[in-house]
């Protein structure tokens, strides 16, 4: 694999998704889970929103990528959110669709997965705040944000290696970037439209 080419691709991917990523992070629903005064209702609401995202990805995107990403079952997170909500005494949510995945290509789907997998890295940062909140400070109710635990970094590197190898083999940078921007924008719109 050509390291400089793959680095250029990853830099382009990050640069071209930066504006969409920032818009998502600036939503109130995204910022209140980083607040030291976060309320459990706000936390549960965020978990339900992310449940919709992961439900959509695991139901509609994973099947498209089953021949490309060989550890998809280890990347499932919907059940972690269900466990956290159960611990917090909230009912299991009824999933609402986040993405329209009809007729999308494998590279586009990889772009969507890039965003969802990247959120696991961010989740470790959010976890630091959650562990200071009364009721979550004993390690329970935070399994979703704990993600892959101390393997989070290696899971991310493994995914990036797969992504860059696929891009280099098929020359599909634009489609992957389109999928990533689409994912950020869909999640942003879902967060914006879904009130508590």
């Amino acid at each position: 694999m050509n390291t400089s080419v793959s680095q250029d691709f990853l830099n382009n991917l990050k640069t071209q998704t930066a504006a969409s990523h920032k818009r998502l992070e600036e939503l109130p629903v995204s910022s209140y889970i980083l607040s030291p005064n976060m309320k459990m209702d706000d936390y549960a609401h965020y978990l339900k929103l992310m449940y919709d995202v992961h439900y959509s990805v695991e139901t509609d995107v994973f099947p498209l990528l089953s021949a490309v990403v060989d550890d998809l079952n280890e990347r499932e997170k919907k059940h972690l959110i269900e466990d956290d909500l159960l611990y917090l005494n909230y009912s299991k949510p009824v999933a609402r669709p986040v993405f329209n995945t009809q007729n999308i290509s494998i590279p586009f789907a990889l772009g969507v997965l890039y965003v969802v997998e990247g959120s696991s890295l961010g989740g470790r940062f959010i976890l630091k705040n959650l562990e200071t909140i009364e009721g979550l400070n004993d390690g329970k109710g935070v399994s979703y944000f704990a993600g892959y635990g101390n393997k989070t970094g290696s899971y991310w590197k493994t995914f990036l290696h797969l992504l860059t190898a696929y891009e280099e083999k098929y020359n599909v940078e634009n489609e992957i970037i389109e999928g990533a921007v689409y994912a950020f924008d869909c999640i942003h719109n879902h967060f914006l439209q879904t009130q508590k």
Side-chain angles (χ1 to χ4, degrees):
M1 187 157 62
N2 186 326
T3 311
S4 65
V5 170
S6 55
Q7 201 51 55
D8 285 349
F9 160 61
L10 290 176
N11 288 341
N12 289 344
L13 180 54
K14 196 168 185 180
T15 303
Q16 293 191 42
T17 56
S20 294
H21 191 175
K22 192 168 189 286
R23 277 182 352 131
L24 177 59
E25 285 185 336
E26 287 173 346
L27 287 176
V29 71
S30 299
S31 57
Y32 62 48
I33 56 163
L34 287 168
S35 165
N37 304 314
M38 183 198 73
K39 307 278 183 282
M40 282 302 172
D41 269 358
D42 292 337
Y43 179 50
H45 178 59
Y46 187 87
L47 285 175
K48 288 176 183 179
L49 291 172
M50 289 310 294
Y51 181 84
D52 295 337
V53 171
H54 287 284
Y55 186 91
S56 280
V57 168
E58 290 172 29
T59 306
D60 302 323
V61 177
F62 276 22
L64 294 168
L65 297 175
S66 59
V68 181
V69 184
D70 58 6
D71 62 353
L72 282 176
N73 60 334
E74 294 167 39
R75 296 179 183 273
E76 291 175 356
K77 299 190 188 69
K78 186 169 57 81
H79 67 285
L80 298 175
I81 298 173
E82 289 171 3
D83 291 348
D84 289 342
L85 287 169
L86 188 66
Y87 173 78
L88 298 167
N89 294 316
Y90 286 86
S91 57
K92 180 180 164 180
V94 176
R96 284 175 282 204
V98 177
F99 309 111
N100 177 1
T101 53
Q102 282 183 309
N103 307 319
I104 68 167
S105 66
I106 287 173
F108 193 95
L110 281 169
V112 172
L113 191 57
Y114 165 81
V115 171
V116 174
E117 281 299 302
S119 71
S120 294
L121 280 182
R124 302 291 292 166
F125 178 68
I126 293 165
L127 182 63
K128 288 184 173 64
N129 179 56
L130 298 179
E131 289 173 333
T132 67
I133 308 283
E134 186 65 41
L136 299 174
N137 51 358
D138 57 0
K140 295 200 171 97
V142 293
S143 58
Y144 169 64
F145 284 105
Y148 306 119
N150 58 9
K151 295 181 181 166
T152 301
S154 62
Y155 266 82
W156 178 239
K157 284 182 186 141
T158 301
F159 176 72
L160 288 184
H161 182 76
L162 180 149
L163 185 68
T164 51
Y166 188 92
E167 193 289 317
E168 195 173 311
K169 184 175 181 181
Y170 296 104
N171 193 23
V172 285
E173 176 174 325
N174 290 341
E175 273 186 273
I176 292 171
I177 290 171
E178 280 169 26
V181 170
Y182 172 79
F184 275 125
D185 290 348
C186 284
I187 296 168
H188 174 273
N189 293 339
H190 182 64
F191 279 20
L192 206 54
Q193 292 163 7
T194 312
Q195 303 300 318
K196 272 195 289 187

